[in-house]
Amino acid sequence: MRYPVVLVVSLMLVTAPFALAQAQDEAQLAVPPAMLASARVNPEHSETNPVMIEITRGDTILFEGILRDDVGERVEGARWGIYPEPSVFDVQSIKDSVPDSYMLWGVAPGETELRAILIVPGEEQPQMRPLFSVVVRVNDWPAARIEIEDPAYAPYVGSTFSLVGHVITTHETEHQTAKLSWTSSNPEVVSVSAAGVATFRKPGKSEIRAEAEGLSAVYAIEVVESPVAEVAIMPSAESVRTGDVVRLGVETSDRDGRLVDDVHVAYSVSSVEGPDGGAVVYSDGAFVAEEAGAYRVIATAGGQAASTVITAAPRDADRAVNFVSQGPVAHVTTSDLWVFEGRNGRDYVYTGTHADGGGERMFVWDVTDPESPFLTDSIFVDARVVNDVKINDDATIAVITREGASDRKNGIVVLDIEDPAHPTILSELTENLTAGIHNTWFNGDVLYAINDGTAAVHIIDLVDPANPQHLGRFEWRPGEENKYVHDVWAADGLAYLSYWDDGLIIIDIGAGIKGGTPREPKFISQYKYPIGNTHTAYRHGDYVFVGDEIFGCEDCTNGPRGYIHVVDVSDIENPHEVARFEVPEAGAHNIWVADDVLYIAYYQGGLRVVDISGELRGDLYAQGRQVAHFHTAGAEGKAMHPNAPMAWGPQPHKGYIFVSDMNSGLWVVQLEPPKEAVIP
C-alpha cells in the first residue's frame, strides 16, 4: 500500500488529504537517531537529483535528496519529506529500499513545485523547516491526431465565430496542454486568427488548417452570401439592478420576413456614458452589469446589426447583520456544527473539535434562547479530530466522525439523542473505516461517509442505529490511488461528491437517471476546473455551489484561499460553470443555502451572506450580491487565537444564523430583513 508523504505546514492544512495527518503522525513518532541526524542537515549545502524533473503523464522517475551538513559531508537517515501543490504528480516513499529517495509519477499535465521539508527536534514537538524545492513538469501523452468539429453555424458572409478543434492523445484523451494554431488558405474569403476565430468575408472556398504538436488537420469550407436582411433585439428587461440577468431575444430574418435560424449572433456591449467594462454580454445572449450605468448592447448577424440600451441601477442590497451572542471556546479549536430542534422542543447546536487543543470531543449547546447559549454536556471519544457532526431527519440519532484515534480505529460514532441535551454513545463502526472519516451526510436511514484511506464514499445502513451495517461504496477511478474525496451532499436521489483535484462528481442514488440506488450508485457527470481543490458542494435549484480550497499559494500566509463556483446543473449530465463568488484575500470553507440566500463561512473573511435569487452569471461579488458580512473574531479570553476570524461552518435556524469558528467557538447573529428592491 502506498503512503504519500505530505507534511503539515500550518493548522489549516490538516483539512487536506489524509496524507497530511499521516505525515504528522510519523513526525511525532520519529525515533531520536533520525531526529538527531536531521538536526545536522544544512539546507544551504543540500541538493537534489535531478535538479529539474520533466516526465510524461503516467511515467515514473526516481527523485533523490542529498542531505549535507555544515562541512558538506552527507547526512544519512535524516527525517524529511516532500509534498506537491497542486498535485500534477504523486509520490511514494522508497527510503527503505533506496535511502533518501522517492518515486514520482506523473498524474496530470502541468507544472508545479516540489517542496521538501526537514523534520527537526523541537522543545515540545518536531519542527518543520524548508529544505529545498524542485520544479516538476508533467507532459501529457503524445498527440496522435487533430479533430476539427463541423461549425455550429452556416458560413455566411459577415459572420464571425470560433472554430473548435481537439488534439487527441495516443490514449484517446484530449490533450491537456496542446495549443492549436489556425490558418486559412484563402484569407480573402475567410480569415482565421491564430486562436481560431473565423471571419467570413466574401463568397468562395478555403481550407482551414489546425496545427499542434507537429500534427495538422484540414477542413474545407465554402462561404456563401448571407440571407439576413434584418436583426431585431428584444431584451427581457430594460431597467434592472446590477447582478440581474437580462435575456436578449434576437430574431434574424431574410428579405421576405422568413426567420434565418442557422446564423451566428455576436454580441458586444459598451457604456453609454462612462468607461467600458462595467457589464458583460455572454455568447448565449445573457447580459449582466457589475456597475451601475446605461449600456448599449449590439447584436450582429450575417452582416446586419441591431442595438438596445439597458440601464442598471445599484443593487443596494446591503443588510445589517447583528451580533446576538457568542459561545466562546478558547481551549480547543472548533470544527463543524449542526443546529436542530430536539425531540423535547428545545433548540441545540452540536459542535466538533479540531486537533489544536485536543480535538477529542463534541460540545452540546442549548440555544433555545439564542441570546444566551450554554453548554449542557460534551461527548469524549478517542480521536484527534471530530471533524463532522450530522443529525438525522427525526432528530433521534447523531453521527460524529473520528480521525487520528490513538488505536488507529477511527470510523463513525453513533449517538442516541433522545435526550438531546445529554446524548449517549449508542454504537460505532470502525470496520473498513479505520483510516478516518472526514465528512458524512444523512439521506433517510442511509449515511454517506467520506473515507480518508480509500478515497471512496462508504454507504452505511442505519435503520438499526445500534448495529450500523455497510451497504456499499462508490469510488471514482477505482483502483487508482492518486485521488482524494473530501465531502458529500445528497438529496432527491442525487449525491454530489467533492473529489478534490477531480472536481465535482454527481452520482445517481435513486433519482432514476442512470439506474443507481443507495446501495449501488451510478455515475452521472463530472465538472472539473483547472485550479483549486473541490472541497464542498451544495445543491439549490438549478445550481450547485461548489467551494474550493487552495493551499500553498504565495499569499496564503494567513490561511488558505478559494472561492465559490456556481455550476449550472439544469442539464445534470452536462454541468457547466456560470458564475463565481470570491472574497479577495480570504478562502471559502463550508456553506449553506436557504431561501435564495447563500451563507459562506469564509475562513479569515468571517461569515458572508450572498443573494442568489434569479439567474446567476459572472462575478457575484463585483455585482454587489453580497448582502452582509460578519467577522467572527473573538476577543482576548474568548478565543484560542484572539481577533483572528477563522469561520468554519454556517447554518440558519429559526431566524438566526449560527456559525462555528475554529479560533473562537460558536457565534449567533441575526440578519435584518431585506430592503424592497428599487428599479427605476
Side-chain angles (χ1 to χ4, degrees), residues 153-154 156-161 226-232 250-254 260-268 298-307:
Y153 308 99
Y156 292 136
V157 172
S159 292
T160 296
F161 54 81
S226 170
V228 177
E230 185 177 0
V231 176
V250 174
E251 287 187 355
T252 55
S253 55
D254 62 16
V260 179
D261 57 9
D262 60 351
V263 64
H264 177 262
V265 179
Y267 298 94
S268 62
I298 300 174
T300 304
Q304 305 298 320
S307 67

PDB file of all heavy atoms in Angstrom, residues 153-154 156-161 226-232 250-254 260-268 298-307:
ATOM      1  N   TYR A 153     -22.655  26.867 -37.091  1.00  0.00           N
ATOM      2  CA  TYR A 153     -23.430  27.866 -37.825  1.00  0.00           C
ATOM      3  C   TYR A 153     -23.031  27.855 -39.293  1.00  0.00           C
ATOM      4  O   TYR A 153     -21.945  27.403 -39.666  1.00  0.00           O
ATOM      5  CB  TYR A 153     -23.192  29.264 -37.239  1.00  0.00           C
ATOM      6  CG  TYR A 153     -23.405  29.333 -35.755  1.00  0.00           C
ATOM      7  CD1 TYR A 153     -22.319  29.270 -34.877  1.00  0.00           C
ATOM      8  CD2 TYR A 153     -24.680  29.440 -35.223  1.00  0.00           C
ATOM      9  CE1 TYR A 153     -22.510  29.321 -33.513  1.00  0.00           C
ATOM     10  CE2 TYR A 153     -24.882  29.489 -33.851  1.00  0.00           C
ATOM     11  CZ  TYR A 153     -23.788  29.427 -33.001  1.00  0.00           C
ATOM     12  OH  TYR A 153     -23.981  29.469 -31.648  1.00  0.00           O
ATOM     13  N   ALA A 154     -23.911  28.381 -40.117  1.00  0.00           N
ATOM     14  CA  ALA A 154     -23.608  28.469 -41.550  1.00  0.00           C
ATOM     15  C   ALA A 154     -22.531  29.524 -41.798  1.00  0.00           C
ATOM     16  O   ALA A 154     -22.511  30.566 -41.139  1.00  0.00           O
ATOM     17  CB  ALA A 154     -24.873  28.812 -42.322  1.00  0.00           C
ATOM     18  N   TYR A 156     -21.892  32.250 -43.388  1.00  0.00           N
ATOM     19  CA  TYR A 156     -22.432  33.363 -44.158  1.00  0.00           C
ATOM     20  C   TYR A 156     -21.456  34.533 -44.167  1.00  0.00           C
ATOM     21  O   TYR A 156     -20.775  34.800 -43.161  1.00  0.00           O
ATOM     22  CB  TYR A 156     -23.747  33.842 -43.559  1.00  0.00           C
ATOM     23  CG  TYR A 156     -24.893  32.853 -43.681  1.00  0.00           C
ATOM     24  CD1 TYR A 156     -25.738  32.621 -42.599  1.00  0.00           C
ATOM     25  CD2 TYR A 156     -25.139  32.180 -44.872  1.00  0.00           C
ATOM     26  CE1 TYR A 156     -26.798  31.738 -42.701  1.00  0.00           C
ATOM     27  CE2 TYR A 156     -26.190  31.283 -44.978  1.00  0.00           C
ATOM     28  CZ  TYR A 156     -27.020  31.063 -43.891  1.00  0.00           C
ATOM     29  OH  TYR A 156     -28.056  30.184 -43.999  1.00  0.00           O
ATOM     30  N   VAL A 157     -21.402  35.234 -45.280  1.00  0.00           N
ATOM     31  CA  VAL A 157     -20.592  36.444 -45.362  1.00  0.00           C
ATOM     32  C   VAL A 157     -21.038  37.414 -44.261  1.00  0.00           C
ATOM     33  O   VAL A 157     -22.230  37.634 -44.054  1.00  0.00           O
ATOM     34  CB  VAL A 157     -20.737  37.108 -46.747  1.00  0.00           C
ATOM     35  CG1 VAL A 157     -20.053  38.478 -46.764  1.00  0.00           C
ATOM     36  CG2 VAL A 157     -20.140  36.221 -47.833  1.00  0.00           C
ATOM     37  N   GLY A 158     -20.058  37.979 -43.555  1.00  0.00           N
ATOM     38  CA  GLY A 158     -20.358  38.908 -42.475  1.00  0.00           C
ATOM     39  C   GLY A 158     -20.393  38.276 -41.100  1.00  0.00           C
ATOM     40  O   GLY A 158     -20.452  38.992 -40.093  1.00  0.00           O
ATOM     41  N   SER A 159     -20.381  36.946 -41.043  1.00  0.00           N
ATOM     42  CA  SER A 159     -20.392  36.253 -39.745  1.00  0.00           C
ATOM     43  C   SER A 159     -18.983  36.097 -39.200  1.00  0.00           C
ATOM     44  O   SER A 159     -18.011  36.011 -39.963  1.00  0.00           O
ATOM     45  CB  SER A 159     -21.043  34.869 -39.878  1.00  0.00           C
ATOM     46  OG  SER A 159     -22.427  34.982 -40.143  1.00  0.00           O
ATOM     47  N   THR A 160     -18.895  36.035 -37.891  1.00  0.00           N
ATOM     48  CA  THR A 160     -17.640  35.765 -37.194  1.00  0.00           C
ATOM     49  C   THR A 160     -17.929  34.829 -36.032  1.00  0.00           C
ATOM     50  O   THR A 160     -18.820  35.113 -35.222  1.00  0.00           O
ATOM     51  CB  THR A 160     -17.006  37.058 -36.653  1.00  0.00           C
ATOM     52  OG1 THR A 160     -16.663  37.911 -37.745  1.00  0.00           O
ATOM     53  CG2 THR A 160     -15.742  36.758 -35.852  1.00  0.00           C
ATOM     54  N   PHE A 161     -17.241  33.712 -35.982  1.00  0.00           N
ATOM     55  CA  PHE A 161     -17.384  32.818 -34.832  1.00  0.00           C
ATOM     56  C   PHE A 161     -16.141  31.942 -34.707  1.00  0.00           C
ATOM     57  O   PHE A 161     -15.313  31.868 -35.622  1.00  0.00           O
ATOM     58  CB  PHE A 161     -18.650  31.963 -34.914  1.00  0.00           C
ATOM     59  CG  PHE A 161     -18.817  31.157 -36.178  1.00  0.00           C
ATOM     60  CD1 PHE A 161     -18.160  29.944 -36.355  1.00  0.00           C
ATOM     61  CD2 PHE A 161     -19.649  31.616 -37.192  1.00  0.00           C
ATOM     62  CE1 PHE A 161     -18.323  29.199 -37.505  1.00  0.00           C
ATOM     63  CE2 PHE A 161     -19.815  30.876 -38.358  1.00  0.00           C
ATOM     64  CZ  PHE A 161     -19.158  29.670 -38.522  1.00  0.00           C
ATOM     65  N   SER A 226     -24.925  36.029 -47.254  1.00  0.00           N
ATOM     66  CA  SER A 226     -25.839  35.972 -46.116  1.00  0.00           C
ATOM     67  C   SER A 226     -27.260  36.292 -46.552  1.00  0.00           C
ATOM     68  O   SER A 226     -27.489  37.284 -47.256  1.00  0.00           O
ATOM     69  CB  SER A 226     -25.405  36.970 -45.042  1.00  0.00           C
ATOM     70  OG  SER A 226     -26.402  37.098 -44.052  1.00  0.00           O
ATOM     71  N   PRO A 227     -28.238  35.480 -46.099  1.00  0.00           N
ATOM     72  CA  PRO A 227     -29.645  35.792 -46.398  1.00  0.00           C
ATOM     73  C   PRO A 227     -30.247  36.788 -45.416  1.00  0.00           C
ATOM     74  O   PRO A 227     -31.394  37.215 -45.590  1.00  0.00           O
ATOM     75  CB  PRO A 227     -30.319  34.426 -46.271  1.00  0.00           C
ATOM     76  CG  PRO A 227     -29.522  33.722 -45.215  1.00  0.00           C
ATOM     77  CD  PRO A 227     -28.093  34.193 -45.404  1.00  0.00           C
ATOM     78  N   VAL A 228     -29.505  37.149 -44.363  1.00  0.00           N
ATOM     79  CA  VAL A 228     -30.058  38.005 -43.316  1.00  0.00           C
ATOM     80  C   VAL A 228     -30.244  39.426 -43.840  1.00  0.00           C
ATOM     81  O   VAL A 228     -29.304  40.046 -44.358  1.00  0.00           O
ATOM     82  CB  VAL A 228     -29.149  38.019 -42.068  1.00  0.00           C
ATOM     83  CG1 VAL A 228     -29.713  38.969 -41.009  1.00  0.00           C
ATOM     84  CG2 VAL A 228     -29.019  36.616 -41.497  1.00  0.00           C
ATOM     85  N   ALA A 229     -31.486  39.924 -43.686  1.00  0.00           N
ATOM     86  CA  ALA A 229     -31.788  41.298 -44.087  1.00  0.00           C
ATOM     87  C   ALA A 229     -32.095  42.181 -42.893  1.00  0.00           C
ATOM     88  O   ALA A 229     -31.951  43.402 -42.969  1.00  0.00           O
ATOM     89  CB  ALA A 229     -32.974  41.309 -45.057  1.00  0.00           C
ATOM     90  N   GLU A 230     -32.548  41.562 -41.800  1.00  0.00           N
ATOM     91  CA  GLU A 230     -32.933  42.364 -40.637  1.00  0.00           C
ATOM     92  C   GLU A 230     -32.633  41.600 -39.352  1.00  0.00           C
ATOM     93  O   GLU A 230     -32.801  40.375 -39.286  1.00  0.00           O
ATOM     94  CB  GLU A 230     -34.418  42.713 -40.692  1.00  0.00           C
ATOM     95  CG  GLU A 230     -34.859  43.645 -39.578  1.00  0.00           C
ATOM     96  CD  GLU A 230     -36.326  44.032 -39.682  1.00  0.00           C
ATOM     97  OE1 GLU A 230     -36.998  43.577 -40.634  1.00  0.00           O
ATOM     98  OE2 GLU A 230     -36.803  44.774 -38.806  1.00  0.00           O
ATOM     99  N   VAL A 231     -32.176  42.341 -38.340  1.00  0.00           N
ATOM    100  CA  VAL A 231     -31.951  41.797 -36.995  1.00  0.00           C
ATOM    101  C   VAL A 231     -32.790  42.601 -36.018  1.00  0.00           C
ATOM    102  O   VAL A 231     -32.793  43.838 -36.058  1.00  0.00           O
ATOM    103  CB  VAL A 231     -30.460  41.883 -36.598  1.00  0.00           C
ATOM    104  CG1 VAL A 231     -30.259  41.392 -35.156  1.00  0.00           C
ATOM    105  CG2 VAL A 231     -29.600  41.072 -37.548  1.00  0.00           C
ATOM    106  N   ALA A 232     -33.520  41.903 -35.169  1.00  0.00           N
ATOM    107  CA  ALA A 232     -34.313  42.557 -34.121  1.00  0.00           C
ATOM    108  C   ALA A 232     -33.852  42.046 -32.767  1.00  0.00           C
ATOM    109  O   ALA A 232     -33.652  40.837 -32.583  1.00  0.00           O
ATOM    110  CB  ALA A 232     -35.801  42.268 -34.315  1.00  0.00           C
ATOM    111  N   VAL A 250     -33.236  37.595 -29.798  1.00  0.00           N
ATOM    112  CA  VAL A 250     -32.803  38.110 -31.095  1.00  0.00           C
ATOM    113  C   VAL A 250     -33.473  37.299 -32.198  1.00  0.00           C
ATOM    114  O   VAL A 250     -33.473  36.066 -32.161  1.00  0.00           O
ATOM    115  CB  VAL A 250     -31.265  38.037 -31.235  1.00  0.00           C
ATOM    116  CG1 VAL A 250     -30.843  38.447 -32.646  1.00  0.00           C
ATOM    117  CG2 VAL A 250     -30.597  38.933 -30.206  1.00  0.00           C
ATOM    118  N   GLU A 251     -34.046  38.025 -33.187  1.00  0.00           N
ATOM    119  CA  GLU A 251     -34.620  37.386 -34.364  1.00  0.00           C
ATOM    120  C   GLU A 251     -33.900  37.879 -35.607  1.00  0.00           C
ATOM    121  O   GLU A 251     -33.653  39.084 -35.763  1.00  0.00           O
ATOM    122  CB  GLU A 251     -36.115  37.692 -34.482  1.00  0.00           C
ATOM    123  CG  GLU A 251     -36.973  36.964 -33.461  1.00  0.00           C
ATOM    124  CD  GLU A 251     -38.455  37.163 -33.720  1.00  0.00           C
ATOM    125  OE1 GLU A 251     -38.802  37.950 -34.641  1.00  0.00           O
ATOM    126  OE2 GLU A 251     -39.268  36.549 -33.010  1.00  0.00           O
ATOM    127  N   THR A 252     -33.549  36.950 -36.472  1.00  0.00           N
ATOM    128  CA  THR A 252     -32.909  37.296 -37.744  1.00  0.00           C
ATOM    129  C   THR A 252     -33.820  36.823 -38.874  1.00  0.00           C
ATOM    130  O   THR A 252     -34.312  35.688 -38.851  1.00  0.00           O
ATOM    131  CB  THR A 252     -31.530  36.633 -37.860  1.00  0.00           C
ATOM    132  OG1 THR A 252     -31.664  35.219 -37.668  1.00  0.00           O
ATOM    133  CG2 THR A 252     -30.591  37.169 -36.797  1.00  0.00           C
ATOM    134  N   SER A 253     -34.038  37.666 -39.854  1.00  0.00           N
ATOM    135  CA  SER A 253     -34.967  37.319 -40.936  1.00  0.00           C
ATOM    136  C   SER A 253     -34.414  37.761 -42.285  1.00  0.00           C
ATOM    137  O   SER A 253     -33.552  38.654 -42.374  1.00  0.00           O
ATOM    138  CB  SER A 253     -36.336  37.961 -40.694  1.00  0.00           C
ATOM    139  OG  SER A 253     -36.209  39.368 -40.519  1.00  0.00           O
ATOM    140  N   ASP A 254     -34.912  37.136 -43.352  1.00  0.00           N
ATOM    141  CA  ASP A 254     -34.471  37.495 -44.700  1.00  0.00           C
ATOM    142  C   ASP A 254     -35.385  38.577 -45.277  1.00  0.00           C
ATOM    143  O   ASP A 254     -36.262  39.116 -44.591  1.00  0.00           O
ATOM    144  CB  ASP A 254     -34.411  36.260 -45.599  1.00  0.00           C
ATOM    145  CG  ASP A 254     -35.766  35.576 -45.782  1.00  0.00           C
ATOM    146  OD1 ASP A 254     -36.803  36.222 -45.470  1.00  0.00           O
ATOM    147  OD2 ASP A 254     -35.795  34.428 -46.246  1.00  0.00           O
ATOM    148  N   VAL A 260     -34.199  33.277 -40.188  1.00  0.00           N
ATOM    149  CA  VAL A 260     -32.938  32.597 -40.521  1.00  0.00           C
ATOM    150  C   VAL A 260     -32.377  32.068 -39.209  1.00  0.00           C
ATOM    151  O   VAL A 260     -31.948  32.845 -38.349  1.00  0.00           O
ATOM    152  CB  VAL A 260     -31.939  33.563 -41.178  1.00  0.00           C
ATOM    153  CG1 VAL A 260     -30.635  32.834 -41.496  1.00  0.00           C
ATOM    154  CG2 VAL A 260     -32.539  34.190 -42.433  1.00  0.00           C
ATOM    155  N   ASP A 261     -32.399  30.761 -39.033  1.00  0.00           N
ATOM    156  CA  ASP A 261     -32.048  30.198 -37.722  1.00  0.00           C
ATOM    157  C   ASP A 261     -30.686  29.524 -37.665  1.00  0.00           C
ATOM    158  O   ASP A 261     -30.316  28.952 -36.633  1.00  0.00           O
ATOM    159  CB  ASP A 261     -33.110  29.202 -37.254  1.00  0.00           C
ATOM    160  CG  ASP A 261     -33.337  28.071 -38.240  1.00  0.00           C
ATOM    161  OD1 ASP A 261     -32.550  27.961 -39.216  1.00  0.00           O
ATOM    162  OD2 ASP A 261     -34.290  27.289 -38.045  1.00  0.00           O
ATOM    163  N   ASP A 262     -29.916  29.569 -38.746  1.00  0.00           N
ATOM    164  CA  ASP A 262     -28.596  28.935 -38.716  1.00  0.00           C
ATOM    165  C   ASP A 262     -27.470  29.955 -38.781  1.00  0.00           C
ATOM    166  O   ASP A 262     -26.337  29.630 -39.132  1.00  0.00           O
ATOM    167  CB  ASP A 262     -28.456  27.919 -39.840  1.00  0.00           C
ATOM    168  CG  ASP A 262     -28.615  28.541 -41.233  1.00  0.00           C
ATOM    169  OD1 ASP A 262     -29.003  29.734 -41.308  1.00  0.00           O
ATOM    170  OD2 ASP A 262     -28.371  27.838 -42.233  1.00  0.00           O
ATOM    171  N   VAL A 263     -27.767  31.198 -38.436  1.00  0.00           N
ATOM    172  CA  VAL A 263     -26.756  32.250 -38.469  1.00  0.00           C
ATOM    173  C   VAL A 263     -26.227  32.493 -37.059  1.00  0.00           C
ATOM    174  O   VAL A 263     -26.978  32.420 -36.072  1.00  0.00           O
ATOM    175  CB  VAL A 263     -27.339  33.559 -39.059  1.00  0.00           C
ATOM    176  CG1 VAL A 263     -28.453  34.118 -38.186  1.00  0.00           C
ATOM    177  CG2 VAL A 263     -26.241  34.604 -39.263  1.00  0.00           C
ATOM    178  N   HIS A 264     -24.943  32.777 -36.963  1.00  0.00           N
ATOM    179  CA  HIS A 264     -24.347  33.073 -35.663  1.00  0.00           C
ATOM    180  C   HIS A 264     -24.639  34.518 -35.283  1.00  0.00           C
ATOM    181  O   HIS A 264     -24.500  35.433 -36.099  1.00  0.00           O
ATOM    182  CB  HIS A 264     -22.835  32.852 -35.711  1.00  0.00           C
ATOM    183  CG  HIS A 264     -22.136  33.201 -34.435  1.00  0.00           C
ATOM    184  ND1 HIS A 264     -21.504  34.412 -34.225  1.00  0.00           N
ATOM    185  CD2 HIS A 264     -21.998  32.506 -33.277  1.00  0.00           C
ATOM    186  CE1 HIS A 264     -20.994  34.433 -33.015  1.00  0.00           C
ATOM    187  NE2 HIS A 264     -21.279  33.295 -32.412  1.00  0.00           N
ATOM    188  N   VAL A 265     -25.036  34.709 -34.002  1.00  0.00           N
ATOM    189  CA  VAL A 265     -25.280  36.045 -33.476  1.00  0.00           C
ATOM    190  C   VAL A 265     -24.133  36.404 -32.544  1.00  0.00           C
ATOM    191  O   VAL A 265     -23.848  35.684 -31.577  1.00  0.00           O
ATOM    192  CB  VAL A 265     -26.618  36.127 -32.715  1.00  0.00           C
ATOM    193  CG1 VAL A 265     -26.824  37.539 -32.164  1.00  0.00           C
ATOM    194  CG2 VAL A 265     -27.779  35.739 -33.629  1.00  0.00           C
ATOM    195  N   ALA A 266     -23.471  37.518 -32.823  1.00  0.00           N
ATOM    196  CA  ALA A 266     -22.380  38.006 -31.977  1.00  0.00           C
ATOM    197  C   ALA A 266     -22.873  39.228 -31.211  1.00  0.00           C
ATOM    198  O   ALA A 266     -23.633  40.044 -31.736  1.00  0.00           O
ATOM    199  CB  ALA A 266     -21.172  38.373 -32.834  1.00  0.00           C
ATOM    200  N   TYR A 267     -22.421  39.322 -29.945  1.00  0.00           N
ATOM    201  CA  TYR A 267     -22.867  40.410 -29.080  1.00  0.00           C
ATOM    202  C   TYR A 267     -21.677  41.267 -28.663  1.00  0.00           C
ATOM    203  O   TYR A 267     -20.553  40.786 -28.509  1.00  0.00           O
ATOM    204  CB  TYR A 267     -23.541  39.851 -27.825  1.00  0.00           C
ATOM    205  CG  TYR A 267     -24.778  39.032 -28.088  1.00  0.00           C
ATOM    206  CD1 TYR A 267     -24.701  37.645 -28.208  1.00  0.00           C
ATOM    207  CD2 TYR A 267     -26.021  39.642 -28.224  1.00  0.00           C
ATOM    208  CE1 TYR A 267     -25.834  36.887 -28.447  1.00  0.00           C
ATOM    209  CE2 TYR A 267     -27.164  38.895 -28.463  1.00  0.00           C
ATOM    210  CZ  TYR A 267     -27.065  37.516 -28.579  1.00  0.00           C
ATOM    211  OH  TYR A 267     -28.190  36.774 -28.813  1.00  0.00           O
ATOM    212  N   SER A 268     -21.961  42.531 -28.442  1.00  0.00           N
ATOM    213  CA  SER A 268     -20.981  43.435 -27.853  1.00  0.00           C
ATOM    214  C   SER A 268     -21.717  44.406 -26.951  1.00  0.00           C
ATOM    215  O   SER A 268     -22.921  44.632 -27.105  1.00  0.00           O
ATOM    216  CB  SER A 268     -20.201  44.197 -28.942  1.00  0.00           C
ATOM    217  OG  SER A 268     -21.084  45.012 -29.707  1.00  0.00           O
ATOM    218  N   ILE A 298     -25.230  45.507 -28.657  1.00  0.00           N
ATOM    219  CA  ILE A 298     -25.375  45.339 -30.103  1.00  0.00           C
ATOM    220  C   ILE A 298     -25.361  43.850 -30.435  1.00  0.00           C
ATOM    221  O   ILE A 298     -24.491  43.109 -29.956  1.00  0.00           O
ATOM    222  CB  ILE A 298     -24.246  46.059 -30.860  1.00  0.00           C
ATOM    223  CG1 ILE A 298     -24.264  47.564 -30.536  1.00  0.00           C
ATOM    224  CG2 ILE A 298     -24.372  45.837 -32.365  1.00  0.00           C
ATOM    225  CD1 ILE A 298     -23.094  48.323 -31.128  1.00  0.00           C
ATOM    226  N   ALA A 299     -26.329  43.430 -31.258  1.00  0.00           N
ATOM    227  CA  ALA A 299     -26.371  42.062 -31.777  1.00  0.00           C
ATOM    228  C   ALA A 299     -26.092  42.120 -33.275  1.00  0.00           C
ATOM    229  O   ALA A 299     -26.773  42.859 -34.009  1.00  0.00           O
ATOM    230  CB  ALA A 299     -27.725  41.430 -31.508  1.00  0.00           C
ATOM    231  N   THR A 300     -25.091  41.357 -33.735  1.00  0.00           N
ATOM    232  CA  THR A 300     -24.692  41.347 -35.139  1.00  0.00           C
ATOM    233  C   THR A 300     -24.848  39.938 -35.694  1.00  0.00           C
ATOM    234  O   THR A 300     -24.415  38.965 -35.062  1.00  0.00           O
ATOM    235  CB  THR A 300     -23.234  41.805 -35.297  1.00  0.00           C
ATOM    236  OG1 THR A 300     -23.085  43.105 -34.709  1.00  0.00           O
ATOM    237  CG2 THR A 300     -22.840  41.864 -36.761  1.00  0.00           C
ATOM    238  N   ALA A 301     -25.474  39.834 -36.886  1.00  0.00           N
ATOM    239  CA  ALA A 301     -25.671  38.522 -37.511  1.00  0.00           C
ATOM    240  C   ALA A 301     -25.680  38.677 -39.022  1.00  0.00           C
ATOM    241  O   ALA A 301     -26.434  39.510 -39.558  1.00  0.00           O
ATOM    242  CB  ALA A 301     -26.982  37.902 -37.036  1.00  0.00           C
ATOM    243  N   GLY A 302     -24.851  37.915 -39.686  1.00  0.00           N
ATOM    244  CA  GLY A 302     -24.830  37.916 -41.148  1.00  0.00           C
ATOM    245  C   GLY A 302     -24.637  39.274 -41.763  1.00  0.00           C
ATOM    246  O   GLY A 302     -25.227  39.580 -42.806  1.00  0.00           O
ATOM    247  N   GLY A 303     -23.846  40.135 -41.135  1.00  0.00           N
ATOM    248  CA  GLY A 303     -23.562  41.451 -41.677  1.00  0.00           C
ATOM    249  C   GLY A 303     -24.573  42.511 -41.300  1.00  0.00           C
ATOM    250  O   GLY A 303     -24.412  43.682 -41.667  1.00  0.00           O
ATOM    251  N   GLN A 304     -25.634  42.159 -40.568  1.00  0.00           N
ATOM    252  CA  GLN A 304     -26.641  43.114 -40.102  1.00  0.00           C
ATOM    253  C   GLN A 304     -26.546  43.240 -38.586  1.00  0.00           C
ATOM    254  O   GLN A 304     -26.000  42.368 -37.910  1.00  0.00           O
ATOM    255  CB  GLN A 304     -28.047  42.660 -40.510  1.00  0.00           C
ATOM    256  CG  GLN A 304     -28.218  42.404 -41.996  1.00  0.00           C
ATOM    257  CD  GLN A 304     -27.983  43.649 -42.832  1.00  0.00           C
ATOM    258  OE1 GLN A 304     -28.395  44.755 -42.473  1.00  0.00           O
ATOM    259  NE2 GLN A 304     -27.286  43.492 -43.962  1.00  0.00           N
ATOM    260  N   ALA A 305     -27.101  44.347 -38.045  1.00  0.00           N
ATOM    261  CA  ALA A 305     -26.987  44.581 -36.608  1.00  0.00           C
ATOM    262  C   ALA A 305     -28.208  45.308 -36.075  1.00  0.00           C
ATOM    263  O   ALA A 305     -28.943  45.976 -36.822  1.00  0.00           O
ATOM    264  CB  ALA A 305     -25.721  45.368 -36.291  1.00  0.00           C
ATOM    265  N   ALA A 306     -28.404  45.190 -34.771  1.00  0.00           N
ATOM    266  CA  ALA A 306     -29.443  45.929 -34.055  1.00  0.00           C
ATOM    267  C   ALA A 306     -28.912  46.211 -32.663  1.00  0.00           C
ATOM    268  O   ALA A 306     -28.030  45.501 -32.162  1.00  0.00           O
ATOM    269  CB  ALA A 306     -30.738  45.135 -33.993  1.00  0.00           C
ATOM    270  N   SER A 307     -29.440  47.236 -32.017  1.00  0.00           N
ATOM    271  CA  SER A 307     -28.954  47.589 -30.687  1.00  0.00           C
ATOM    272  C   SER A 307     -30.111  47.944 -29.766  1.00  0.00           C
ATOM    273  O   SER A 307     -31.225  48.245 -30.218  1.00  0.00           O
ATOM    274  CB  SER A 307     -27.971  48.765 -30.770  1.00  0.00           C
ATOM    275  OG  SER A 307     -28.645  49.950 -31.174  1.00  0.00           O
TER     276      SER A 307
END
